[in-house]
Amino acid sequence: MQRSFTTAVMASLIAALCATTATAKAHPSYLTESYCNTLVEQFVDYGMRSLGKYVNENFKPQYKGGIRNTINFLNQRSEWLGECDAYLADTAQTRIFYDEQNTKAIFDAMKDLAKELQLVRDGVEYPDETGANNPRPFIKSRYETLATLVDQHHTRMLMKKQFQ
């Protein structure tokens, strides 16, 4: 009797453990909360500064290589940050950019800017009031949306650190 009870308890514990690990999502071993926080800080600081300099000073529609590189930058950062967001949502019940709504808004703004840049790269015309092709205001508007959202996140994080 005692042996069958012990065997039954062990079997149920093993089944519960298997069920738990079967539903847990696997994440790469390099993902940690510290790594993800560093990645966000780099994006918010250096990444946005570089992106702003490109959009405000160096964006030229005729140079397709610079546009391609910027699209790749946005897509790569979005992928990296998305991976961290999934990791943090699964392990720490937090989001990469403050909460779910802000995280989605920032990812959408990154995607919208990359999409607008791709349209310029594909040769879509953006006529201004004189009829000349001028995509700069459209690109700048997409960038400013992203910059505003990222700045709001940065302000929240600074305030959070201040009261810790």
Side-chain angles (χ1 to χ4, degrees), residues 19-49:
T20 303
T21 57
T23 59
K25 295 178 184 172
H27 295 283
S29 60
Y30 61 84
L31 289 177
T32 65
E33 197 167 338
S34 174
Y35 167 82
C36 291
N37 289 337
T38 300
L39 187 64
V40 170
E41 286 175 15
Q42 287 174 348
F43 176 72
V44 167
D45 188 20
Y46 306 113
M48 286 302 294
R49 193 174 330 144

Side-chain angles (χ1 to χ4, degrees), residues 69-138:
N69 292 343
T70 304
I71 293 167
N72 289 341
F73 170 84
L74 287 164
N75 290 339
Q76 183 184 57
R77 293 317 181 277
S78 184
E79 183 180 323
W80 292 352
L81 292 166
E83 186 177 52
C84 275
D85 185 54
Y87 170 77
L88 292 174
D90 289 346
T91 60
Q93 285 73 46
T94 62
R95 300 306 295 261
I96 197 89
F97 293 113
Y98 186 68
D99 62 16
E100 185 173 356
Q101 179 181 356
N102 290 305
T103 298
K104 182 181 178 336
I106 289 172
F107 281 129
D108 287 347
M110 291 171 74
K111 184 175 79 176
D112 291 344
L113 177 56
K115 182 180 176 183
E116 203 76 49
L117 285 165
Q118 186 61 51
L119 290 173
V120 172
R121 189 165 182 251
D122 291 343
V124 172
E125 296 280 325
Y126 291 81
D128 62 14
E129 57 277 347
T130 67
N133 182 31
N134 184 13
R136 184 176 304 279
F138 296 94

Side-chain angles (χ1 to χ4, degrees), residues 6-24:
T6 304
T7 304
V9 169
M10 290 299 288
S12 65
L13 286 173
I14 290 171
L17 180 62
C18 290
T20 303
T21 57
T23 59

